[in-house]
Amino acid sequence: MVIEEKPIKSEKFVDNHLNNILVVDDELAIRKTISKYLGKIGYNVDIAEDGMIAIEKMERDSFDLVLTDLSMPNCDGRELLKTMASRFPEIPKIVLTGISSDEDILIALKTGAYDYLTKPIDDFAVLRRAVERALEVKNLSDEKKRYVEQVNQINEVISMLNRGKNTDEVFKALNISLKEVIAFNCLKLMMVNPQNNTVATKLVESDREVKMEIGESFPLEGSFLMDVYEKKDVLIINDLKDFFSTHQDSGTDTSLIDEGMGSSLILPLIIDDKTRGFLVFVAVEPDFFRESHITFLKSIVGQISFSIQRGELLAELEVHSKNLEYLVKARTDEVLKTQKTTVFALSKLAEIRDPETGEHLERIRNYAVLIAQILKYSGHENEITNQYIRDIYDSSILHDIGKVGIPDTILLKPGPLTKEEFEIMKTHTTIGYNALKSSSKDLGKNSFLNMAMDIVHFHHERWDGSGYPMGLREREIPLSARIVAICDTYDALTSKRPYKEPFSHEKAVGIIKEDTFHFDPDLYKIFYENSTQFDKIRKQFQADN
């Protein structure tokens, strides 16, 4: 009489990833007894009558624990243990045997068996504790691996985000990198217009035909995004058809369904504690998105928001530099006065102009903005506001305005300055400061020229107190001047001067590293960790020497 063998499944719900067990024994009664017991206490159990069958099953399916006898036909437990040690080392093993020897125990230990139990099992509580402990160790090991893998994935995503210069590049980098973690079919960037409280699709990457046109907008109020907007939390829609059947006024229901999509995950983009937009992940399959996806995305959403905001800011700065007159008209009367004063002050530089100056100023302002942005999102949100970043962009280019008062024989000297000449050169800080002070006395406290005066006056001060003109040290030096100091030093090293050829990026970084005591340690760390970005800016605005 042949007894039909079937894998035993627990009647209650079990997490298959954590609880799949394979029982390997050539005795049918033992296989059935152990399988039945483990199934009743909540595990998914499969069985094999020898090591050969067990190996075949492990090649096909995923197991979290193997219980094996030692004495079996074909491939016995000893060979199975050795094979598992080399091919399936991550799966814990418990040895069950009726006949044990010192050699068997040694083999079990050498091949990484978690425990060694003798048959017959009289007390199943002993088996249960052994299984629970082995699975707990496996679970901890898997969690560690998942954590390391997730950290690596996060680092890869952040690395790709940092390469993007504008919102389009950031979005494309996101689509590429996140698809390696979450196999979605479509990614949309939707931005909120706070002026009219509408939402518009700004960018889309999809492997399906997109039905909603780029730029098409709908009211935020009454849409399914309103809840995400207010709660600032992730929303998963497991079945789009079912969801939109009860959300008729959502604005985008027909487009997503017409595109053949089944489920969606909406991630709010929080900037300055306000929801400024949404990343919409969409998949063809219903019930596609998981809690693990939320956990991963929440770990990087801050960096995503920062990168998108940075792209928007850099785009704004680019427009600002190309069309300054248009932006001036849109500013307040105070900024209009400031702009006129700036134009007047800059006009004084017409008499003395280094051919390299224009590119130098573009590099300085971009270096300064880069450091200020990174500092802002490193815990200095209150000190580094968006206005601060705009001001340092505008004011940093005036740092050497005082050189208008330095004679050509010193300013353009093709060799080292004498001590007396250097003392004259140092006066450019006070010359520039006094010029700006006299020109901006009626502009008020909010003028960017107030920051410019700090930069002009103190950008040659040093963290250790060895700078000029006043010998200030550490935080006595205004932050804006400390930022420009490191930017100006890097640019001076990598630029051609009358008395030297430009140093390479690598050599300049090395020189600054040797003189770190001259700079704010926090700012030096930002410079050093992001030196490749400095190199990119340098190349982007490289003058033809």
Side-chain angles (χ1 to χ4, degrees):
M1 178 178 179
V2 178
I3 301 175
E4 182 181 3
E5 286 187 70
K6 294 181 179 179
I8 297 175
K9 302 289 183 181
S10 168
E11 293 180 358
K12 67 178 184 178
F13 172 76
V14 193
D15 188 336
N16 292 334
H17 177 70
L18 298 177
N19 300 300
N20 291 339
I21 299 176
L22 178 63
V23 177
V24 188
D25 200 298
D26 62 330
E27 296 185 47
L28 174 59
I30 292 176
R31 289 197 301 273
K32 291 180 67 66
T33 300
I34 295 176
S35 299
K36 183 176 182 181
Y37 172 75
L38 293 176
K40 283 184 177 179
I41 62 174
Y43 299 109
N44 293 326
V45 186
D46 203 348
I47 49 181
E49 60 196 56
D50 58 45
M52 191 69 69
I53 296 174
I55 292 171
E56 292 175 356
K57 292 200 172 191
M58 282 186 283
E59 289 173 341
R60 290 196 311 268
D61 303 316
S62 175
F63 293 97
D64 299 286
L65 177 63
V66 172
L67 285 74
T68 181
D69 187 16
L70 289 181
S71 299
M72 296 180 292
N74 298 327
C75 175
D76 65 11
R78 299 170 187 83
E79 289 300 317
L80 175 59
L81 290 173
K82 292 177 182 178
T83 300
M84 288 185 65
S86 62
R87 296 180 57 189
F88 309 101
E90 73 283 357
I91 304 177
K93 305 167 280 289
I94 294 178
V95 173
L96 300 172
T97 185
I99 303 174
S100 62
S101 66
D102 291 343
E103 183 182 355
D104 290 337
I105 295 174
L106 188 60
I107 291 174
L109 293 175
K110 283 185 176 181
T111 54
Y114 180 78
D115 211 339
Y116 191 96
L117 304 178
T118 58
K119 298 186 297 184
I121 299 176
D122 298 322
D123 186 355
F124 277 91
V126 174
L127 173 63
R128 180 171 186 166
R129 285 195 296 271
V131 168
E132 288 174 349
R133 288 195 300 267
L135 288 172
E136 183 178 358
V137 171
K138 174 69 163 52
N139 184 30
L140 290 173
S141 176
D142 288 348
E143 283 297 317
K144 180 180 178 181
K145 290 178 182 177
R146 281 194 291 272
Y147 174 78
V148 171
E149 181 181 356
Q150 189 176 77
V151 168
N152 290 335
Q153 291 170 337
I154 290 172
N155 289 335
E156 289 177 7
V157 171
I158 291 176
S159 176
M160 292 196 72
L161 287 174
N162 288 336
R163 298 172 197 166
K165 295 179 181 178
N166 53 49
T167 307
D168 285 16
E169 290 183 4
V170 169
F171 184 74
K172 289 179 180 178
L174 269 177
N175 183 64
I176 294 171
S177 57
L178 291 181
K179 267 192 174 179
E180 296 179 3
V181 183
I182 307 171
F184 52 84
N185 298 97
C186 175
L187 180 63
K188 297 186 179 184
L189 174 62
M190 309 182 79
M191 300 302 292
V192 176
N193 185 339
Q195 295 182 349
N196 57 17
N197 212 30
T198 60
V199 182
T201 301
K202 183 170 184 177
L203 297 167
V204 178
E205 290 287 340
S206 179
D207 56 17
R208 298 291 191 276
E209 182 183 357
V210 178
K211 300 296 183 180
M212 175 170 276
E213 294 184 4
I214 302 297
E216 186 175 345
S217 64
F218 57 90
L220 177 62
E221 189 73 34
S223 76
F224 73 104
L225 293 175
M226 190 64 188
D227 196 44
V228 183
Y229 176 85
E230 292 179 337
K231 293 182 179 179
K232 303 173 184 176
D233 200 4
V234 177
L235 171 66
I236 287 182
I237 304 174
N238 288 317
D239 190 321
L240 287 171
K241 287 184 179 180
D242 180 64
F243 179 84
F244 287 125
S245 67
T246 58
H247 293 73
Q248 297 297 325
D249 299 326
S250 62
T252 60
D253 52 341
T254 56
S255 67
L256 290 174
I257 294 173
D258 291 346
E259 290 168 19
M261 300 301 177
S263 57
S264 181
L265 184 154
I266 296 94
L267 181 72
L269 300 175
I270 312 299
I271 300 173
D272 295 334
D273 201 36
K274 293 182 180 179
T275 304
R276 300 297 179 87
F278 311 90
L279 273 182
V280 182
F281 299 82
V282 195
V284 172
E285 301 174 26
D287 299 305
F288 175 79
F289 297 98
R290 301 286 181 266
E291 286 296 325
S292 59
H293 297 153
I294 294 179
T295 301
F296 176 76
L297 291 172
K298 281 187 174 181
S299 67
I300 60 172
V301 66
Q303 182 66 34
I304 293 174
S305 299
F306 162 63
S307 296
I308 290 176
Q309 184 186 33
R310 182 185 65 181
E312 295 286 315
L313 179 60
L314 290 177
E316 178 184 339
L317 293 178
E318 184 178 355
V319 171
H320 177 84
S321 63
K322 292 180 178 179
N323 198 357
L324 184 60
E325 187 176 327
Y326 169 80
L327 290 179
V328 169
K329 292 179 181 179
R331 291 187 174 188
T332 62
D333 290 340
E334 180 180 76
V335 178
L336 286 171
K337 290 179 183 179
T338 301
Q339 188 59 53
K340 291 178 182 179
T341 304
T342 304
V343 174
F344 175 76
L346 289 174
S347 68
K348 294 181 179 180
L349 297 177
E351 296 178 5
I352 303 176
R353 188 178 297 266
D354 188 330
E356 214 270 333
T357 297
E359 298 294 342
H360 166 67
L361 298 181
E362 287 296 334
R363 291 194 297 271
I364 289 295
R365 72 183 353 172
N366 280 276
Y367 295 151
V369 165
L370 175 63
I371 290 180
Q373 283 180 322
I374 296 172
L375 191 63
K376 173 180 173 67
Y377 292 98
S378 301
H380 295 264
E381 294 87 351
N382 294 330
E383 188 175 8
I384 308 294
T385 62
N386 290 339
Q387 184 61 50
Y388 187 99
I389 293 175
R390 286 192 288 269
D391 286 348
I392 203 167
Y393 177 86
D394 289 328
S395 60
S396 59
I397 61 174
L398 301 175
H399 67 286
D400 277 339
I401 192 174
K403 287 184 178 179
V404 68
I406 304 300
D408 286 355
T409 54
I410 295 176
L411 184 65
L412 304 178
K413 184 177 179 180
L417 300 178
T418 65
K419 183 177 180 180
E420 292 76 15
E421 290 171 336
F422 184 60
E423 289 301 317
I424 295 173
M425 176 65 80
K426 286 161 62 174
T427 63
H428 80 276
T429 58
T430 52
I431 291 172
Y433 170 75
N434 290 330
L436 290 179
K437 185 177 181 181
S438 63
S439 301
S440 61
K441 57 185 179 181
D442 297 326
L443 294 177
K445 295 182 179 180
N446 295 326
S447 168
F448 78 81
L449 286 185
N450 288 293
M451 179 185 288
M453 284 188 284
D454 283 341
I455 292 173
V456 169
H457 206 192
F458 302 120
H459 71 283
H460 282 293
E461 299 287 0
R462 295 293 179 256
W463 186 257
D464 62 353
S466 63
Y468 63 86
M470 298 178 64
L472 302 181
R473 60 186 300 117
E474 299 186 0
R475 299 191 184 280
E476 293 174 348
I477 309 167
L479 175 59
S480 56
R482 303 200 307 266
I483 291 174
V484 172
I486 198 166
C487 299
D488 192 37
T489 300
Y490 173 78
D491 197 68
L493 291 170
T494 55
S495 299
K496 184 177 181 180
R497 291 291 185 263
Y499 53 86
K500 76 169 191 66
E501 291 299 315
F503 293 144
S504 69
H505 166 74
E506 291 75 17
K507 184 173 182 179
V509 172
I511 292 172
I512 293 174
K513 185 176 182 181
E514 292 176 358
D515 292 337
T516 53
F517 51 87
H518 285 167
F519 307 105
D520 182 329
D522 292 336
L523 300 184
Y524 168 74
K525 182 179 180 183
I526 289 174
F527 164 76
Y528 189 76
E529 292 178 350
N530 297 272
S531 61
T532 55
Q533 296 298 318
F534 273 74
D535 193 28
K536 289 180 180 179
I537 292 172
R538 180 184 66 83
K539 292 175 180 177
Q540 181 181 359
F541 296 102
Q542 186 68 57
D544 295 329
N545 294 318

